[in-house]
Amino acid sequence: MGTNLENKQEEIQEQNVNNYIKQVLNLIEKDQVTEDEAKWITKETVNNFREHVNPGFLEYRKTVTKDGQFAAVEWSDEGSCFKDVNGKKYIDCLGGFGIYNVGHRNKKVVKAVTDQLKRQALHSQDLLDPLRAILAKILADITPGDLKYSFFTNSGTESVEAALKLAKMYSDRSTFISTTRSFHGKSLGSLSGTAKGMFRKPFLPLIPGFRHVPFGDIDMMRKTFETSALVGEDVAAVILEPIQGEGGIILPPEGYLKQVRDLCDQYDALLIFDEVQTGMGRTGKMFCAEVYNVVPDILCLAKAFGGGVMPAGAVVGKEKVFKSWFDNPFMHTTTFGGNPLACAAAIATIDVLLEEDLPSRAAEVGEYFLQGLKDAAVGHEDKVMEIRGKGLMIGIEFHKDEVGYEVSKALFDRGILVAGTLVNSKTIRIEPSLTISYEEVNTVINAFKEVLPTVK
Ligand SMILES: *Cc1c(COP(=O)(O)O)cnc(C)c1O
């Protein structure tokens, strides 16, 4: 009797799930949703975030009002904008923290991925997959210096993991120098390199051997090399972002990266550039390494690498480094890394960047944007501390977290998305698509000018 009832309840639940899934698939299929459907989507999103994802997100997002009555739920995107489920359009100046370098759903990237999808989505894992090999050759061509071999990943943190393992195997050493305010990801290996105490503390001890020195302080870097060598813990590699992103758009001091390169050479250590955020044209050259004329031994890519369409990442290294994996290519693997869809996306992304010369465009538009923001902030020195950047990687630093949060909220109300969350708004980041129009840039500058006097 009891089991019968249980069976019945299970049946009903299964039917409910089935209907629910059908309803959602029906919505995904649609070009446009009705007002009622938009309401349903919003309600389901908020409730399910609260009950099944993490209610914390509803607290921290500026796109949600305190009790969740209003919530901006995204639904579609195109060019340098996205739309919420009610059809309100936003200029995307956050750019997914630097994903959308070639714009949202760039037509060429979408076409390459769709064409590939019609023929083959994922690879056999046994035969040789062509696009991975071809993309690796293209990367060898466009990356600086003698970077030559590539390993493909699905994310930034995975690119950093691979870089650390490469450095360990190549050098047979286990000391790494990282920098304060750095961000390299949140999986246990990359988190060891990441600097923020709040994210690291609950997970200590992390990988042994990491030393953090202040970003930009070459004397500390030199001393750390010296002392590590003295105690027999020679440095395997230095890992850093040529321009720090998550840390608040921090530019390296004049000559710093070259000096770090020299120290690495002197101590026979590798230099790893984490260009997950600065790469693919963001800072005015294809790679930020070129902005400062320094060639790393290992280059980490992700974020914009998949063209804002596919998750994709890569580690590119010199032959001497990759050689340590030649004998056994299975020392480090990933099932989905370098899959045909991701490679098709990356190849098309590079095509767009080169053909439309988007790195130069980033430099040009970036300079105009930076100057415009600086002009708009004149007279508000009590609120704005500094505005800085390179290419279309711009940071506005405020004296106080709260001011940054208020500004980003006020901009959001005006249809402009910039970074800045409740936990991290002292510097708000502007990283739009490199295809953003001057008209859109002006809209943002004017909104910033309007908003500044209104915040306390
Ligand atoms: C975002 C980021 C990462 C981590 O990338 P995920 O894809 O989120 O794992 C690593 N390094 C830098 C510099 C980043 O900006």
Side-chain angles (χ1 to χ4, degrees):
M1 195 61 188
T3 35
N4 251 345
L5 199 64
E6 272 169 35
N7 282 348
K8 189 117 196 148
Q9 274 171 345
E10 256 171 45
E11 235 171 69
I12 290 170
Q13 196 170 5
E14 200 177 295
Q15 220 165 44
N16 285 345
V17 172
N18 247 322
N19 290 338
Y20 190 76
I21 291 172
K22 291 278 181 300
Q23 196 172 350
V24 174
L25 287 175
N26 182 41
L27 286 171
I28 292 175
E29 199 181 84
K30 288 190 159 186
D31 277 342
Q32 210 104 48
V33 294
T34 65
E35 209 171 299
D36 281 346
E37 286 165 339
K39 271 193 193 132
W40 186 82
I41 293 166
T42 304
K43 182 182 90 217
E44 286 302 311
T45 306
V46 172
N47 286 346
N48 293 339
F49 257 96
R50 182 180 298 117
E51 298 297 328
H52 302 291
V53 181
N54 185 338
F57 281 124
L58 302 176
E59 300 271 316
Y60 281 112
R61 294 259 160 114
K62 61 180 172 293
T63 52
V64 184
T65 53
K66 216 165 170 227
D67 31 20
Q69 292 145 325
F70 171 82
V73 175
E74 60 194 36
W75 192 248
S76 63
D77 63 341
E78 191 169 21
S80 33
C81 299
F82 66 90
K83 275 187 188 168
D84 70 18
V85 75
N86 300 311
K88 184 173 174 184
K89 203 169 168 176
Y90 300 84
I91 299 177
D92 186 7
C93 275
L94 165 59
F97 296 111
I99 300 174
Y100 298 109
N101 292 17
V102 296
H104 289 253
R105 284 191 309 121
N106 181 286
K107 286 196 171 61
K108 273 190 189 166
V109 180
V110 170
K111 180 177 186 319
V113 173
T114 316
D115 289 345
Q116 178 61 40
L117 182 60
K118 283 184 201 149
R119 204 176 55 255
Q120 185 195 22
L122 300 175
H123 47 313
S124 72
Q125 310 283 335
D126 191 66
L127 279 74
L128 294 176
D129 43 317
L131 295 192
R132 179 170 13 174
I134 290 162
L135 175 57
K137 182 225 176 330
I138 294 169
L139 278 177
D141 282 346
I142 64 166
T143 49
D146 46 356
L147 293 169
K148 187 173 176 210
Y149 283 88
S150 287
F151 174 82
F152 296 105
T153 71
N154 306 288
S155 67
T157 198
E158 284 176 68
S159 295
V160 171
E161 296 287 339
L164 299 178
K165 285 178 79 175
L166 259 177
K168 277 195 164 188
M169 263 198 73
Y170 165 77
S171 66
D172 208 18
R173 300 174 181 179
S174 56
T175 303
F176 288 92
I177 301 179
S178 178
T179 54
T180 53
R181 301 186 77 162
S182 66
F183 185 80
H184 299 296
K186 287 179 184 164
S187 55
L188 292 170
S190 67
L191 185 61
S192 310
T194 291
K196 203 165 188 167
M198 181 181 69
F199 292 140
R200 302 175 91 247
K201 215 164 176 181
F203 309 106
L204 297 174
L206 292 162
I207 295 183
F210 271 84
R211 318 256 192 279
H212 287 79
V213 303
F215 182 76
D217 185 340
I218 198 66
D219 290 330
M220 269 302 280
M221 178 82 73
R222 184 178 299 108
K223 280 179 190 146
T224 308
F225 264 105
E226 272 168 21
T227 50
S228 299
L230 278 174
V231 297
E233 296 178 9
D234 296 273
V235 175
V238 171
I239 179 165
L240 46 79
E241 304 152 82
I243 294 174
Q244 293 188 318
E246 181 81 13
I249 316 293
I250 319 243
L251 306 179
E254 181 85 33
Y256 176 67
L257 297 175
K258 270 208 162 83
Q259 291 168 313
V260 173
R261 173 75 270 182
D262 288 345
L263 277 175
C264 288
D265 292 340
Q266 190 186 333
Y267 285 89
D268 206 16
L270 298 177
L271 178 59
I272 303 169
F273 272 179
D274 179 350
E275 291 224 36
V276 167
Q277 200 165 141
T278 54
M280 314 315 290
R282 172 64 51 195
T283 64
K285 298 268 186 198
M286 188 62 92
F287 302 101
C288 192
E290 299 167 90
V291 173
Y292 296 101
N293 246 319
V294 173
V295 181
D297 301 295
I298 300 174
L299 180 72
C300 299
L301 301 172
K303 291 213 166 97
F305 187 61
V309 172
M310 291 297 298
V315 218
V316 196
K318 291 182 178 171
E319 181 164 359
K320 68 167 189 183
V321 181
F322 259 79
K323 247 189 183 154
S324 47
W325 283 356
F326 285 178
D327 282 345
N328 188 352
F330 299 103
M331 279 316 285
H332 189 68
T333 57
T334 148
T335 302
F336 291 132
N339 71 71
L341 293 176
C343 288
I347 291 167
T349 300
I350 295 168
D351 181 52
V352 174
L353 288 166
L354 291 175
E355 195 159 277
E356 297 174 23
D357 197 10
L358 291 183
S360 303
R361 192 160 193 284
E364 221 176 272
V365 179
E367 211 169 285
Y368 175 83
F369 207 154
L370 185 66
Q371 194 54 51
L373 290 171
K374 280 182 177 169
D375 293 344
V378 168
H380 298 284
E381 290 76 11
D382 55 327
K383 292 167 188 160
V384 181
M385 199 161 111
E386 193 187 26
I387 304 179
R388 54 182 177 262
K390 196 108 203 159
L392 279 167
M393 192 169 178
I394 297 172
I396 306 172
E397 182 165 358
F398 298 91
H399 289 289
K400 279 194 186 141
D401 246 345
E402 292 79 3
V403 181
Y405 187 61
E406 287 310 315
V407 169
S408 66
K409 255 177 101 147
L411 286 173
F412 188 77
D413 293 340
R414 284 169 168 74
I416 296 161
L417 182 72
V418 295
T421 63
L422 200 51
V423 278
N424 189 8
S425 302
K426 194 161 185 299
T427 302
I428 61 180
R429 281 185 272 167
I430 307 230
E431 300 185 44
S433 144
L434 312 186
T435 58
I436 190 171
S437 69
Y438 277 100
E439 198 188 333
E440 286 163 329
V441 170
N442 286 335
T443 304
V444 178
I445 294 170
N446 289 335
F448 181 60
K449 199 171 177 166
E450 276 172 33
V451 157
L452 267 181
T454 67
V455 296
K456 295 263 144 53

